[in-house]
Amino acid sequence: MSGVNSLRPPSAPRPRQRLHAFNALLLACAGLPLLLAAGEAFQDRRQVLSEAGRNIVVMLDTIHGQAEKVFQFQALALGAAEDRLRGLSNADIRMDAPAHHRFLRRLKLYANEQIGVAIFDDDGRVLVDSERFEPMERVNVSRRDYFLWHRDNRGDDPFVSGPVRSQTSDEVVFLITRRRSAEDGSFLGVAAVIVEQRSLLSYWDQAVPDQRGLVSLSLDNGTLLARRPTVALESSLRMLPQGPLSRAASADAERQVVRGVSPLDEVERLAAFRRLAGYPVRVAYGTPVDMLLAPWRRRAMAYGCFAVLTSIALSWLVLLAWRRTRQLSDLNATLENRVKERTAEIESGEARLRLLAREVDHRAKNALAVVQAMLQLTPKNDVTSYIRAVEGRVSALSRAQTLLSEDHWRSASLHALLKAELAPFVTEADGECDTRAELEGPPVLLPPNAAQPLAMVVHELATNAVKHGALSTPGGRVSISWHLTDQEDAPASALALRWKETGGPRVAGIPVERGFGSRVMATVVRGQLGGRLSQSWLPGGLVCEIEIPMLNLRKQNEPAASHAA
């Protein structure tokens, strides 16, 4: 390493310094176009909102002028009706009701059918109106807010009511009313001009074709007279105090554009309001912010795409230059890495050899110990039987070894182990296993320290079945079933295996003397595997039940594996 470093010129910058300079240059190339695009988009957005504010004020003035004309005309119509009826009592008006109706009808026609005029007596009943020759007797307005206000307040001041449902047409209307008084000042009733909301909405649809634009007419106390987009307007509905237009009205910010979310429809708008001269009424106009910013968003997207492409191009050029300058450093680093990798490979190879040596030693000792125990325990009374027994048990051990070696001594399939152990004792027909032996159970993988002993147990059971049990006669059958059981300390921690023989010679009962195979099975299951063994000599055949704690066997196998690692 020192030799390589000594070849670097003294004045050359160090790799870390060059990396910092490259990172700064790359950040500038990637960030500068994006920063410029963001600045341009921000300035464009400010201009869009500023222009929208000016347009909102212009449109507000137009709508305000129309609303003032409507109210002025209503005041003229109301004044004309009062002049005609001045000095007349309610009885006089009823006597000449047809003539008064024709006069009020002409007023309505003059207003293009957009208003209605009605005269009410001191009980709230209709004396005469512009709609019907004979007034409807069921109509009574004695409980309306405008009637109660005029009854309790002297003077000629007009009153603008909130929206109500008409008792004759069921349309939503609001009224401009005045008190009718006798010469002595007593209350005679109310003269009212009736305005339908739909007449205002129709004009607004013509003046502001975009249905997303907000137009509203409301009283100073917040009661809505008409609104577009429409909402369910009743006499009790008011604009919520937290609304942006209500706050602007409280601050007397007339013709000033405010921004906020409407509490009625949850739409964010730019909006402004103006009051009508002589009436406690204000008109408002607004435009959704999303609609105003939609063209700006498209332009901002174009700015962003251009900035991203520019940043990518500049960054690619910087990266290309950086790769050229790093060639010598990369060659040096590659050489050092190869030396380190070769050293690591040598050390790893030596570790693997040591591991394999310990593993071979461990497996060989286990196999020799099993063979030694098997030779010592096998009866030696008859040489031929002794040889046959040893060969069978060694074969069972070998088959288990083969299954374990196929999975690199990690585990062995229980189904494969049982099939291998039963193969020498069960005939095959047409390449398929004879139905005299049935295997049924879920997939189970046995650890090495359980596979070999269990193979010996199954071998002893199969040998006994061939000699004395179900497999000793042509019609005999053996069924082996197994499943995993839950224990208190852990789920699925025990293997329960059941060996059942049927169709063989009739079993007289429990044997007087236990054979060598039974002793081997008891020693292996209880002593070596730490499990439980139960044998039942039923008349139909032997039933053997084995339960092996798999979790304990895995724990016993872990120390050897960790030691080998």
Side-chain angles (χ1 to χ4, degrees):
M1 290 296 294
S2 59
V4 175
N5 291 333
S6 63
L7 295 178
R8 186 181 295 118
S11 60
R14 295 182 179 180
R16 186 178 297 276
Q17 294 174 344
R18 292 203 305 269
L19 181 61
H20 289 167
F22 166 73
N23 289 337
L25 181 60
L26 186 62
L27 182 62
C29 292
L32 184 59
L34 295 175
L35 184 62
L36 293 176
E40 177 65 23
F42 178 76
Q43 183 64 24
D44 187 13
R45 186 175 183 273
R46 289 186 58 186
Q47 293 178 358
V48 167
L49 295 178
S50 177
E51 181 67 20
R54 291 191 291 270
N55 293 336
I56 287 172
V57 173
V58 171
M59 182 59 68
L60 173 65
D61 291 341
T62 300
I63 298 173
H64 176 268
Q66 184 268 346
E68 279 197 331
K69 290 180 180 179
V70 170
F71 274 75
Q72 288 172 2
F73 180 80
Q74 293 168 354
L76 291 175
L78 192 60
E82 289 179 332
D83 289 341
R84 180 178 177 85
L85 303 177
R86 184 174 288 111
L88 299 178
S89 66
N90 291 338
D92 295 336
I93 296 175
R94 285 193 181 94
M95 290 179 60
D96 200 12
H100 299 313
H101 166 74
R102 287 191 293 270
F103 176 76
L104 298 181
R105 183 62 183 171
R106 287 194 296 272
L107 287 178
K108 179 178 178 66
L109 293 176
Y110 185 71
N112 295 324
E113 302 282 346
Q114 292 186 356
I115 64 171
V117 184
I119 308 298
F120 302 99
D121 64 12
D122 54 349
D123 292 328
R125 298 187 181 278
V126 180
L127 290 173
V128 63
D129 62 32
S130 61
E131 302 299 319
R132 294 169 182 81
F133 188 79
E134 292 290 339
M136 298 180 66
E137 295 183 359
R138 66 181 179 84
V139 176
N140 191 307
V141 298
S142 60
R143 306 306 299 174
R144 299 292 194 185
D145 56 348
Y146 55 87
F147 185 88
L148 297 175
W149 190 86
H150 286 304
R151 187 191 64 185
D152 299 335
N153 294 274
R154 292 175 178 268
D156 296 332
D157 294 335
F159 183 89
V160 181
S161 75
V164 295
R165 292 284 179 184
S166 172
Q167 298 182 39
T168 58
S169 63
D170 202 38
E171 291 284 341
V172 179
V173 299
F174 67 91
L175 296 86
I176 302 176
T177 61
R178 284 186 180 174
R179 175 188 172 103
R180 295 181 51 248
S181 302
E183 293 182 358
D184 59 357
S186 60
F187 179 64
L188 289 179
V190 174
V193 173
I194 304 168
V195 182
E196 293 183 354
Q197 279 188 359
R198 63 180 180 177
S199 64
L200 292 174
L201 296 176
S202 176
Y203 173 80
W204 292 343
D205 289 340
Q206 296 176 5
V208 187
D210 195 334
Q211 294 295 316
R212 292 173 294 180
L214 165 71
V215 187
S216 69
L217 193 69
S218 61
L219 299 177
D220 282 345
N221 63 6
T223 301
L224 284 170
L225 301 178
R227 184 183 190 272
R228 199 202 71 180
T230 59
V231 293
L233 294 178
E234 299 295 342
S235 59
S236 60
L237 181 62
R238 293 170 178 263
M239 296 181 67
L240 300 181
Q242 66 270 27
L245 287 174
S246 297
R247 292 194 295 268
S250 299
D252 202 21
E254 194 170 356
R255 298 184 79 246
Q256 295 184 16
V257 178
V258 296
R259 180 175 178 176
V261 177
S262 169
L264 295 178
D265 54 16
E266 302 297 329
V267 175
E268 185 181 20
R269 294 184 177 90
L270 292 181
F273 81 95
R274 284 190 64 180
R275 289 189 171 89
L276 299 183
Y279 295 93
V281 178
R282 59 176 183 259
V283 62
Y285 173 74
T287 306
V289 175
D290 285 344
M291 184 181 71
L292 295 173
L293 295 181
W296 170 80
R297 289 193 181 95
R298 291 192 290 269
R299 293 194 296 272
M301 182 65 69
Y303 299 154
C305 292
F306 178 77
V308 170
L309 293 176
T310 304
S311 299
I312 293 175
L314 292 176
S315 301
W316 180 80
L317 291 175
V318 172
L319 285 172
L320 184 62
W322 174 251
R323 289 170 184 169
R324 298 288 185 182
T325 59
R326 289 197 59 189
Q327 288 182 352
L328 182 60
S329 299
D330 291 343
L331 291 175
N332 186 23
T334 300
L335 179 60
E336 293 178 357
N337 290 334
R338 288 181 178 177
V339 173
K340 292 179 181 179
E341 291 174 359
R342 183 58 181 165
T343 303
E345 288 177 359
I346 294 173
E347 294 177 352
S348 177
E350 293 176 352
R352 285 197 298 270
L353 288 175
R354 290 192 295 269
L355 175 62
L356 290 175
R358 287 196 299 269
E359 185 68 19
V360 170
D361 180 65
H362 175 71
R363 301 303 177 191
K365 287 180 179 179
N366 285 346
L368 291 175
V370 172
V371 172
Q372 183 180 8
M374 181 176 57
L375 292 174
Q376 292 175 353
L377 294 175
T378 303
K380 307 176 183 62
N381 299 332
D382 185 359
V383 175
T384 302
S385 300
Y386 176 76
I387 294 174
R388 188 182 302 112
V390 170
E391 287 179 348
R393 287 159 187 159
V394 170
S395 296
L397 179 61
S398 175
R399 287 188 288 273
Q401 294 279 101
T402 301
L403 292 175
L404 289 171
S405 64
E406 290 176 354
D407 195 33
H408 304 287
W409 281 87
R410 291 192 295 266
S411 61
S413 168
L414 175 59
H415 186 276
L417 185 144
L418 294 174
K419 185 176 180 181
E421 292 301 328
L422 288 172
F425 309 105
V426 180
T427 60
E428 294 186 357
D430 298 330
E432 297 183 357
C433 185
D434 194 342
T435 55
R436 296 176 62 194
E438 295 181 355
L439 304 178
E440 181 181 1
V444 175
L445 295 178
L446 299 171
N449 57 340
Q452 291 175 332
L454 190 58
M456 297 290 295
V457 172
V458 175
H459 173 77
E460 295 300 334
L461 288 170
T463 301
N464 181 73
V466 170
K467 288 182 178 181
H468 312 291
L471 298 181
S472 65
T473 60
R477 293 165 55 88
V478 174
S479 63
I480 306 176
S481 60
W482 65 91
H483 63 276
L484 296 175
T485 63
D486 295 344
Q487 293 187 348
E488 295 181 358
D489 54 352
S493 58
L495 170 66
L497 186 143
R498 190 171 190 266
W499 172 287
K500 181 179 181 181
E501 299 180 17
T502 58
R506 183 176 179 81
V507 178
I510 301 175
V512 178
E513 294 183 2
R514 299 291 179 90
F516 173 73
S518 297
R519 294 196 301 273
V520 171
M521 289 168 51
T523 301
V524 170
V525 174
R526 297 189 182 113
Q528 189 171 354
L529 297 179
R532 293 194 294 270
L533 174 66
S534 173
Q535 291 177 285
S536 301
W537 284 268
L538 303 177
L542 173 66
V543 176
C544 180
E545 295 183 348
I546 300 172
E547 185 172 345
I548 301 173
M550 300 294 292
L551 184 62
N552 294 338
L553 293 174
R554 291 192 185 98
K555 291 182 178 179
Q556 294 173 10
N557 194 52
E558 288 173 358
S562 61
H563 175 71

